[in-house]
Coordinates of all heavy atoms in Angstrom, one line a residue:
H717 N -8.4 3.4 -20.3 CA -8.2 3.1 -21.7 C -6.7 2.8 -22.0 O -5.9 3.3 -21.2 CB -8.6 4.3 -22.6 CG -10.0 4.8 -22.3 ND1 -11.1 4.1 -22.7 CD2 -10.5 5.8 -21.6 CE1 -12.2 4.8 -22.3 NE2 -11.8 5.8 -21.6
E718 N -6.4 2.1 -23.0 CA -5.0 1.8 -23.3 C -4.2 3.1 -23.7 O -3.0 3.1 -23.6 CB -4.9 0.8 -24.5 CG -5.5 1.3 -25.8 CD -5.3 0.3 -26.9 OE1 -5.0 -0.9 -26.6 OE2 -5.6 0.6 -28.0
W719 N -4.9 4.1 -24.1 CA -4.2 5.4 -24.4 C -4.1 6.4 -23.3 O -3.5 7.5 -23.4 CB -4.9 6.1 -25.6 CG -6.4 6.1 -25.6 CD1 -7.2 5.2 -26.2 CD2 -7.2 7.0 -24.8 NE1 -8.5 5.5 -25.9 CE2 -8.6 6.6 -25.1 CE3 -7.0 8.1 -24.0 CZ2 -9.6 7.3 -24.5 CZ3 -8.0 8.7 -23.4 CH2 -9.4 8.3 -23.7
S720 N -4.7 6.0 -22.1 CA -4.8 7.0 -21.0 C -3.5 7.5 -20.5 O -3.4 8.6 -20.0 CB -5.6 6.4 -19.9 OG -7.0 6.1 -20.3
L721 N -2.5 6.7 -20.6 CA -1.2 7.1 -20.0 C -0.1 7.5 -21.0 O 1.1 7.6 -20.6 CB -0.7 5.9 -19.1 CG -1.6 5.4 -18.0 CD1 -1.0 4.3 -17.2 CD2 -2.0 6.6 -17.1
L722 N -0.5 7.8 -22.2 CA 0.4 8.3 -23.2 C 0.9 9.7 -22.8 O 0.2 10.5 -22.2 CB -0.2 8.3 -24.5 CG -0.6 7.0 -25.1 CD1 -1.3 7.2 -26.5 CD2 0.6 6.1 -25.3
R723 N 2.1 10.0 -23.1 CA 2.8 11.2 -22.7 C 2.1 12.5 -23.1 O 2.1 13.5 -22.3 CB 4.3 11.2 -23.2 CG 4.4 11.3 -24.7 CD 5.9 11.3 -25.1 NE 6.0 11.3 -26.5 CZ 6.0 12.3 -27.3 NH1 5.8 13.5 -26.8 NH2 6.1 12.2 -28.6
H724 N 1.4 12.5 -24.2 CA 0.8 13.7 -24.7 C -0.5 14.0 -24.0 O -1.2 15.0 -24.2 CB 0.6 13.7 -26.2 CG -0.1 12.6 -26.7 ND1 0.5 11.4 -27.0 CD2 -1.5 12.4 -27.0 CE1 -0.4 10.5 -27.4 NE2 -1.6 11.1 -27.5
L725 N -0.9 13.1 -23.0 CA -2.1 13.4 -22.2 C -1.6 13.8 -20.8 O -2.5 13.9 -19.9 CB -2.9 12.1 -22.1 CG -3.5 11.7 -23.4 CD1 -4.4 10.4 -23.3 CD2 -4.4 12.8 -24.1
F726 N -0.3 14.0 -20.6 CA 0.2 14.5 -19.4 C -0.2 13.7 -18.1 O -0.8 14.3 -17.2 CB -0.1 16.0 -19.2 CG 0.2 16.7 -20.5 CD1 -0.9 17.2 -21.2 CD2 1.5 16.9 -20.9 CE1 -0.6 17.9 -22.4 CE2 1.7 17.6 -22.1 CZ 0.7 18.1 -22.9
P727 N 0.0 12.4 -18.1 CA -0.5 11.6 -17.0 C 0.3 11.7 -15.7 O 1.5 12.1 -15.7 CB -0.4 10.2 -17.5 CG 0.8 10.2 -18.4 CD 0.8 11.6 -19.1
S728 N -0.4 11.5 -14.6 CA 0.3 11.1 -13.4 C 0.1 9.6 -13.3 O -1.0 9.1 -13.5 CB -0.4 11.8 -12.2 OG -0.1 13.2 -12.1
K729 N 1.2 8.9 -13.0 CA 1.1 7.4 -13.1 C 2.2 6.8 -12.2 O 3.1 7.5 -11.8 CB 1.3 6.9 -14.5 CG 2.7 7.2 -15.1 CD 2.8 6.9 -16.6 CE 2.7 5.4 -16.8 NZ 4.0 4.7 -16.4
A730 N 1.9 5.6 -11.8 CA 2.9 4.8 -11.0 C 3.1 3.5 -11.7 O 2.3 2.9 -12.3 CB 2.3 4.5 -9.6
G731 N 4.4 3.0 -11.6 CA 4.8 1.8 -12.2 C 4.9 1.8 -13.7 O 4.7 2.9 -14.4
G732 N 5.2 0.7 -14.3 CA 5.4 0.6 -15.8 C 6.6 1.4 -16.2 O 7.6 1.3 -15.5
T733 N 6.6 2.1 -17.3 CA 7.7 2.9 -17.7 C 7.3 4.3 -17.8 O 6.1 4.7 -17.9 CB 8.2 2.4 -19.1 OG1 7.0 2.3 -20.0 CG2 8.9 1.1 -19.0
P734 N 8.2 5.3 -17.7 CA 7.9 6.7 -17.6 C 7.3 7.2 -18.9 O 7.7 6.8 -20.0 CB 9.2 7.4 -17.3 CG 10.2 6.4 -17.7 CD 9.7 5.1 -17.5
A735 N 6.3 8.1 -18.8 CA 5.8 8.8 -20.0 C 6.5 10.1 -20.0 O 6.0 11.1 -19.5 CB 4.3 9.0 -19.9
W736 N 7.7 10.2 -20.7 CA 8.6 11.3 -20.6 C 7.9 12.6 -21.1 O 7.2 12.6 -22.2 CB 9.8 11.1 -21.4 CG 10.6 9.9 -21.0 CD1 10.8 8.7 -21.5 CD2 11.5 9.9 -19.8 NE1 11.6 7.9 -20.8 CE2 12.1 8.6 -19.7 CE3 11.8 10.8 -18.8 CZ2 12.9 8.2 -18.7 CZ3 12.6 10.4 -17.8 CH2 13.2 9.1 -17.8
L737 N 8.0 13.7 -20.4 CA 7.4 14.9 -20.9 C 8.2 15.5 -22.0 O 7.7 15.8 -23.1 CB 7.4 16.0 -19.7 CG 6.8 17.3 -20.0 CD1 5.3 17.2 -20.5 CD2 6.9 18.3 -18.8
N738 N 9.5 15.6 -21.9 CA 10.4 16.0 -23.0 C 11.0 14.6 -23.5 O 11.8 14.0 -22.8 CB 11.6 16.8 -22.5 CG 12.5 17.3 -23.6 OD1 12.8 16.5 -24.5 ND2 13.0 18.5 -23.5
P739 N 10.5 14.2 -24.7 CA 10.9 12.9 -25.2 C 12.3 12.8 -25.8 O 12.6 11.7 -26.3 CB 9.8 12.6 -26.2 CG 9.5 13.9 -26.7 CD 9.6 14.9 -25.6
V740 N 13.0 13.8 -25.8 CA 14.3 13.9 -26.5 C 15.5 13.8 -25.5 O 16.3 12.9 -25.5 CB 14.4 15.1 -27.5 CG1 15.7 15.1 -28.2 CG2 13.3 15.1 -28.5
N741 N 15.6 14.9 -24.7 CA 16.7 15.1 -23.9 C 16.6 14.4 -22.5 O 16.4 15.0 -21.5 CB 17.0 16.5 -23.7 CG 17.2 17.3 -25.0 OD1 18.1 16.9 -25.8 ND2 16.4 18.2 -25.3
L742 N 16.7 13.0 -22.5 CA 16.4 12.3 -21.3 C 17.6 12.3 -20.4 O 18.7 12.5 -20.8 CB 16.1 10.8 -21.7 CG 14.9 10.6 -22.7 CD1 14.7 9.2 -22.9 CD2 13.6 11.3 -22.2
P743 N 17.4 12.0 -19.1 CA 18.5 11.8 -18.2 C 19.4 10.7 -18.7 O 18.9 9.7 -19.4 CB 17.8 11.3 -16.9 CG 16.4 11.8 -17.0 CD 16.1 11.8 -18.4
S744 N 20.7 10.8 -18.5 CA 21.6 9.8 -19.0 C 22.8 9.5 -18.1 O 22.9 10.2 -17.0 CB 22.2 10.3 -20.4 OG 22.9 11.5 -20.2
G745 N 23.6 8.6 -18.4 CA 24.8 8.2 -17.7 C 24.5 7.8 -16.3 O 23.5 7.0 -16.0
K746 N 25.2 8.2 -15.3 CA 25.1 7.8 -13.9 C 23.8 8.2 -13.3 O 23.4 7.6 -12.3 CB 26.3 8.3 -13.1 CG 27.6 7.7 -13.4 CD 28.7 8.1 -12.5 CE 30.0 7.5 -12.9 NZ 31.1 8.0 -12.0
A747 N 23.1 9.2 -13.8 CA 21.8 9.6 -13.3 C 20.8 8.5 -13.4 O 19.9 8.5 -12.6 CB 21.3 10.8 -14.1
C748 N 21.0 7.6 -14.3 CA 20.1 6.4 -14.5 C 20.3 5.3 -13.5 O 19.5 4.4 -13.4 CB 20.2 5.8 -15.9 SG 20.1 7.0 -17.2
L749 N 21.4 5.4 -12.8 CA 21.9 4.2 -12.0 C 21.8 4.5 -10.5 O 21.9 5.6 -10.0 CB 23.3 3.8 -12.3 CG 23.6 3.6 -13.8 CD1 25.1 3.3 -14.0 CD2 22.7 2.5 -14.4
C750 N 21.7 3.4 -9.7 CA 21.8 3.5 -8.2 C 23.2 3.9 -7.9 O 24.2 3.2 -8.4 CB 21.4 2.2 -7.6 SG 21.7 2.1 -5.8
D751 N 23.4 4.9 -7.1 CA 24.8 5.3 -6.7 C 25.5 4.3 -5.8 O 26.7 4.3 -5.6 CB 24.8 6.6 -6.0 CG 24.4 7.8 -7.0 OD1 24.5 7.6 -8.2 OD2 23.9 8.8 -6.5
V752 N 24.7 3.4 -5.2 CA 25.2 2.4 -4.2 C 25.7 1.1 -4.9 O 26.8 0.7 -4.8 CB 24.2 2.1 -3.1 CG1 24.8 1.1 -2.1 CG2 23.8 3.3 -2.4
C753 N 24.8 0.5 -5.7 CA 25.1 -0.8 -6.3 C 25.4 -0.6 -7.8 O 25.9 -1.6 -8.4 CB 24.0 -1.8 -6.1 SG 22.4 -1.4 -7.0
G754 N 25.1 0.5 -8.4 CA 25.4 0.7 -9.9 C 24.4 0.1 -10.8 O 24.5 0.1 -12.0
E755 N 23.3 -0.5 -10.3 CA 22.3 -1.1 -11.1 C 21.3 -0.1 -11.6 O 21.1 1.0 -10.9 CB 21.6 -2.2 -10.3 CG 22.4 -3.5 -10.0 CD 22.8 -4.2 -11.3 OE1 22.0 -4.4 -12.2 OE2 24.0 -4.5 -11.4
P756 N 20.6 -0.3 -12.7 CA 19.6 0.6 -13.2 C 18.5 0.9 -12.2 O 18.0 -0.1 -11.5 CB 19.0 -0.1 -14.4 CG 20.1 -1.0 -14.9 CD 20.7 -1.5 -13.6
L757 N 18.1 2.1 -12.0 CA 17.0 2.4 -11.1 C 15.7 2.0 -11.8 O 15.6 2.0 -13.0 CB 16.9 3.9 -10.8 CG 18.1 4.5 -10.1 CD1 18.0 6.0 -10.0 CD2 18.2 3.9 -8.7
R758 N 14.7 1.7 -11.0 CA 13.3 1.4 -11.5 C 12.4 2.5 -11.4 O 12.4 3.2 -10.4 CB 12.8 0.1 -10.8 CG 11.5 -0.4 -11.4 CD 11.0 -1.6 -10.7 NE 11.9 -2.8 -10.9 CZ 11.6 -4.0 -10.6 NH1 10.4 -4.3 -9.9 NH2 12.5 -5.0 -10.8
F759 N 11.6 2.7 -12.4 CA 10.6 3.8 -12.4 C 9.6 3.6 -11.3 O 8.9 2.5 -11.3 CB 10.0 4.0 -13.7 CG 8.8 5.0 -13.8 CD1 9.1 6.3 -13.6 CD2 7.5 4.6 -14.1 CE1 8.0 7.2 -13.6 CE2 6.5 5.5 -14.1 CZ 6.7 6.8 -13.9
L760 N 9.4 4.5 -10.4 CA 8.4 4.4 -9.3 C 7.1 5.1 -9.7 O 6.1 4.5 -9.7 CB 9.0 5.0 -8.0 CG 8.1 4.8 -6.8 CD1 8.2 3.4 -6.3 CD2 8.6 5.7 -5.6
L761 N 7.2 6.4 -10.0 CA 6.0 7.2 -10.3 C 6.4 8.5 -10.9 O 7.5 9.0 -10.8 CB 5.1 7.4 -9.1 CG 5.6 8.2 -7.9 CD1 5.5 9.7 -8.1 CD2 4.8 7.8 -6.7
Q762 N 5.4 9.2 -11.5 CA 5.5 10.5 -12.0 C 4.3 11.3 -11.6 O 3.1 10.8 -11.6 CB 5.8 10.6 -13.5 CG 4.6 10.1 -14.4 CD 5.0 10.0 -15.8 OE1 5.8 9.2 -16.3 NE2 4.5 11.0 -16.6
A763 N 4.5 12.6 -11.3 CA 3.3 13.5 -10.9 C 3.3 14.7 -11.8 O 4.3 15.4 -11.9 CB 3.5 13.9 -9.4
Y764 N 2.2 14.9 -12.5 CA 2.1 16.0 -13.4 C 1.7 17.2 -12.5 O 0.6 17.2 -11.8 CB 1.0 15.8 -14.4 CG 0.8 16.9 -15.4 CD1 1.8 17.3 -16.2 CD2 -0.4 17.5 -15.5 CE1 1.6 18.4 -17.1 CE2 -0.6 18.6 -16.4 CZ 0.4 19.0 -17.2 OH 0.2 20.0 -18.1
A765 N 2.5 18.2 -12.4 CA 2.3 19.3 -11.5 C 2.6 20.7 -12.1 O 3.6 21.3 -11.8 CB 3.2 19.1 -10.2
P766 N 1.8 21.2 -13.0 CA 2.0 22.4 -13.7 C 1.9 23.6 -12.7 O 1.2 23.6 -11.7 CB 0.9 22.5 -14.7 CG -0.2 21.7 -14.2 CD 0.5 20.6 -13.4
L767 N 2.7 24.6 -13.0 CA 2.7 25.9 -12.3 C 2.4 27.0 -13.3 O 3.3 27.3 -14.1 CB 4.0 26.2 -11.5 CG 4.4 25.1 -10.5 CD1 5.8 25.4 -10.0 CD2 3.4 25.1 -9.4
F768 N 1.2 27.6 -13.3 CA 0.8 28.5 -14.4 C 1.3 29.9 -14.2 O 1.0 30.8 -15.0 CB -0.7 28.4 -14.6 CG -1.1 27.1 -15.0 CD1 -2.3 26.5 -14.5 CD2 -0.4 26.3 -15.9 CE1 -2.7 25.3 -15.0 CE2 -0.8 25.1 -16.4 CZ -2.0 24.6 -15.9
E769 N 1.9 30.2 -13.1 CA 2.4 31.6 -12.9 C 3.7 31.9 -13.7 O 4.1 33.0 -13.8 CB 2.7 31.9 -11.4 CG 3.8 31.2 -10.8 CD 3.3 29.9 -10.1 OE1 2.2 29.4 -10.5 OE2 4.1 29.3 -9.3
K770 N 4.3 30.8 -14.2 CA 5.5 31.0 -15.1 C 5.2 30.4 -16.4 O 4.6 29.3 -16.5 CB 6.7 30.3 -14.5 CG 7.3 31.0 -13.3 CD 8.5 30.3 -12.8 CE 9.6 30.2 -13.8 NZ 10.8 29.5 -13.3
E771 N 5.7 31.1 -17.5 CA 5.4 30.6 -18.8 C 6.1 29.2 -19.0 O 5.6 28.3 -19.7 CB 6.0 31.6 -19.9 CG 5.8 31.1 -21.3 CD 6.4 32.1 -22.3 OE1 6.8 33.2 -21.9 OE2 6.3 31.8 -23.5
S772 N 7.3 29.1 -18.4 CA 8.1 27.9 -18.7 C 7.6 26.6 -17.9 O 8.1 25.5 -18.1 CB 9.6 28.1 -18.3 OG 9.7 28.4 -16.9
T773 N 6.6 26.8 -17.0 CA 6.2 25.7 -16.2 C 4.7 25.4 -16.5 O 4.0 24.8 -15.7 CB 6.4 26.0 -14.7 OG1 5.7 27.2 -14.4 CG2 7.8 26.1 -14.4
F774 N 4.2 25.7 -17.7 CA 2.9 25.4 -18.0 C 2.6 23.9 -18.0 O 1.6 23.4 -17.6 CB 2.5 25.9 -19.4 CG 1.1 25.8 -19.8 CD1 0.1 26.7 -19.5 CD2 0.7 24.7 -20.6 CE1 -1.2 26.5 -19.8 CE2 -0.6 24.5 -20.9 CZ -1.6 25.4 -20.6
H775 N 3.6 23.1 -18.5 CA 3.7 21.7 -18.3 C 4.8 21.4 -17.4 O 6.0 21.9 -17.6 CB 3.9 21.0 -19.6 CG 2.8 21.1 -20.6 ND1 1.5 20.7 -20.4 CD2 2.8 21.7 -21.9 CE1 0.7 21.0 -21.4 NE2 1.5 21.6 -22.3
R776 N 4.6 20.6 -16.4 CA 5.7 20.3 -15.4 C 5.4 18.9 -14.8 O 4.3 18.7 -14.3 CB 5.7 21.4 -14.4 CG 6.8 21.2 -13.3 CD 6.7 22.5 -12.4 NE 7.6 22.4 -11.3 CZ 7.3 21.9 -10.1 NH1 6.0 21.5 -9.9 NH2 8.1 21.9 -9.1
T777 N 6.4 18.0 -14.9 CA 6.2 16.7 -14.4 C 7.4 16.3 -13.5 O 8.6 16.6 -13.9 CB 6.0 15.7 -15.5 OG1 4.9 16.0 -16.3 CG2 5.8 14.3 -14.9
L778 N 7.2 15.6 -12.4 CA 8.2 15.2 -11.5 C 8.3 13.6 -11.6 O 7.2 13.0 -11.5 CB 8.0 15.6 -10.1 CG 7.9 17.1 -9.9 CD1 7.3 17.5 -8.6 CD2 9.3 17.7 -10.0
F779 N 9.5 13.1 -11.8 CA 9.7 11.7 -12.0 C 10.5 11.1 -10.9 O 11.6 11.7 -10.5 CB 10.4 11.4 -13.3 CG 9.7 11.9 -14.5 CD1 9.7 13.2 -14.9 CD2 9.0 11.0 -15.3 CE1 9.1 13.6 -16.1 CE2 8.3 11.4 -16.5 CZ 8.4 12.7 -16.9
V780 N 10.1 10.0 -10.3 CA 10.8 9.4 -9.1 C 11.2 8.0 -9.6 O 10.4 7.2 -10.1 CB 9.9 9.3 -7.9 CG1 10.7 8.7 -6.7 CG2 9.3 10.6 -7.5
F781 N 12.5 7.7 -9.3 CA 13.1 6.4 -9.6 C 13.7 5.8 -8.3 O 14.2 6.6 -7.5 CB 14.1 6.5 -10.7 CG 13.6 6.9 -12.0 CD1 13.4 8.3 -12.3 CD2 13.3 6.0 -13.0 CE1 12.9 8.7 -13.5 CE2 12.7 6.4 -14.2 CZ 12.5 7.8 -14.5
M782 N 13.7 4.5 -8.2 CA 14.2 3.9 -7.0 C 14.9 2.6 -7.3 O 14.5 1.8 -8.2 CB 13.0 3.7 -6.0 CG 13.4 3.0 -4.7 SD 12.0 2.8 -3.6 CE 11.8 4.5 -3.0
C783 N 16.0 2.3 -6.6 CA 16.6 1.0 -6.6 C 15.7 0.0 -5.9 O 15.1 0.4 -4.8 CB 18.0 1.0 -6.0 SG 18.9 -0.5 -6.0
T784 N 15.7 -1.2 -6.3 CA 14.8 -2.2 -5.7 C 15.5 -2.9 -4.5 O 14.8 -3.8 -3.9 CB 14.3 -3.2 -6.7 OG1 15.4 -3.9 -7.3 CG2 13.5 -2.6 -7.8
S785 N 16.7 -2.6 -4.2 CA 17.5 -3.2 -3.1 C 17.2 -2.5 -1.8 O 17.5 -1.3 -1.7 CB 19.0 -3.3 -3.5 OG 19.7 -3.7 -2.3
M786 N 16.8 -3.2 -0.8 CA 16.6 -2.6 0.5 C 17.9 -2.2 1.1 O 18.0 -1.2 1.8 CB 15.8 -3.6 1.4 CG 15.4 -2.9 2.7 SD 14.3 -1.5 2.5 CE 14.3 -0.7 4.1
S787 N 18.9 -3.0 0.9 CA 20.2 -2.7 1.5 C 20.7 -1.3 0.9 O 21.4 -0.5 1.6 CB 21.3 -3.8 1.2 OG 21.4 -4.0 -0.2
C788 N 20.5 -1.1 -0.4 CA 20.8 0.2 -1.0 C 20.0 1.4 -0.3 O 20.6 2.5 -0.1 CB 20.6 0.2 -2.5 SG 21.8 -0.9 -3.4
L789 N 18.8 1.1 -0.1 CA 17.9 2.2 0.6 C 18.4 2.5 2.0 O 18.4 3.6 2.4 CB 16.5 1.7 0.6 CG 15.4 2.8 0.9 CD1 15.5 3.9 -0.1 CD2 14.0 2.2 1.0
L790 N 18.9 1.4 2.7 CA 19.4 1.6 4.0 C 20.7 2.5 3.9 O 20.9 3.4 4.8 CB 19.7 0.3 4.7 CG 18.5 -0.5 5.1 CD1 18.9 -1.9 5.5 CD2 17.9 0.2 6.3
Q791 N 21.5 2.2 2.9 CA 22.7 3.0 2.7 C 22.4 4.5 2.3 O 23.0 5.4 2.8 CB 23.6 2.4 1.7 CG 24.9 3.2 1.4 CD 25.8 3.3 2.5 OE1 25.9 2.4 3.4 NE2 26.6 4.3 2.6
D792 N 21.3 4.6 1.5 CA 20.8 5.9 1.1 C 20.4 6.7 2.3 O 20.8 7.9 2.5 CB 19.7 5.7 0.2 CG 19.2 7.0 -0.4 OD1 18.7 7.9 0.4 OD2 19.2 7.2 -1.6
Q793 N 19.7 6.1 3.3 CA 19.3 6.8 4.5 C 20.5 7.2 5.3 O 20.5 8.4 5.8 CB 18.5 5.8 5.3 CG 18.0 6.4 6.6 CD 17.7 5.4 7.7 OE1 18.1 4.3 7.6 NE2 16.8 5.8 8.6
H794 N 21.5 6.4 5.4 CA 22.7 6.8 6.1 C 23.4 8.0 5.5 O 23.9 8.9 6.2 CB 23.7 5.6 6.2 CG 25.0 5.9 6.8 ND1 25.1 6.0 8.2 CD2 26.2 6.1 6.4 CE1 26.3 6.3 8.5 NE2 27.1 6.3 7.5
E795 N 23.4 8.1 4.2 CA 24.1 9.2 3.4 C 23.4 10.5 3.7 O 24.0 11.6 3.7 CB 24.0 8.9 1.9 CG 24.9 7.7 1.5 CD 26.4 8.1 1.5 OE1 26.7 9.3 1.3 OE2 27.2 7.2 1.7
Q796 N 22.1 10.5 4.0 CA 21.3 11.7 4.3 C 21.9 12.5 5.5 O 21.8 13.7 5.5 CB 19.9 11.4 4.6 CG 19.1 10.8 3.4 CD 17.7 10.4 3.7 OE1 16.9 10.4 2.8 NE2 17.4 10.1 4.9
W797 N 22.5 11.8 6.4 CA 22.9 12.5 7.6 C 24.3 13.1 7.6 O 24.8 13.5 8.6 CB 22.8 11.5 8.8 CG 21.4 11.0 9.0 CD1 20.9 9.8 8.8 CD2 20.3 11.7 9.6 NE1 19.6 9.7 9.1 CE2 19.2 10.9 9.6 CE3 20.2 13.0 10.0 CZ2 17.9 11.3 10.1 CZ3 18.9 13.4 10.5 CH2 17.8 12.6 10.5
K798 N 24.9 13.1 6.4 CA 26.2 13.7 6.3 C 26.2 15.2 6.1 O 27.2 15.8 6.0 CB 26.9 13.0 5.1 CG 27.3 11.5 5.3 CD 28.0 10.9 4.2 CE 28.4 9.5 4.4 NZ 29.2 8.9 3.3

Side-chain angles (χ1 to χ4, degrees):
H717 309 283
E718 62 179 9
W719 43 262
S720 295
L721 301 181
L722 295 178
R723 62 180 177 86
H724 55 278
L725 298 180
F726 314 109
S728 290
K729 64 188 292 288
T733 50
W736 298 107
L737 181 61
N738 183 323
V740 180
N741 301 303
L742 305 182
S744 61
K746 292 183 179 180
C748 307
L749 307 177
C750 172
D751 293 335
V752 180
C753 68
E755 291 298 313
L757 297 173
R758 186 178 294 187
F759 173 64
L760 187 73
L761 60 80
Q762 65 188 71
Y764 182 64
L767 301 173
F768 294 141
E769 66 270 16
K770 286 181 61 177
E771 180 182 356
S772 62
T773 57
F774 185 86
H775 297 298
R776 181 173 174 272
T777 302
L778 300 165
F779 299 81
V780 183
F781 296 84
M782 177 178 285
C783 180
T784 58
S785 169
M786 188 60 194
S787 62
C788 291
L789 193 60
L790 288 167
Q791 179 63 30
D792 186 296
Q793 179 203 22
H794 178 71
E795 292 285 332
Q796 292 176 156
W797 298 107
K798 292 184 176 180

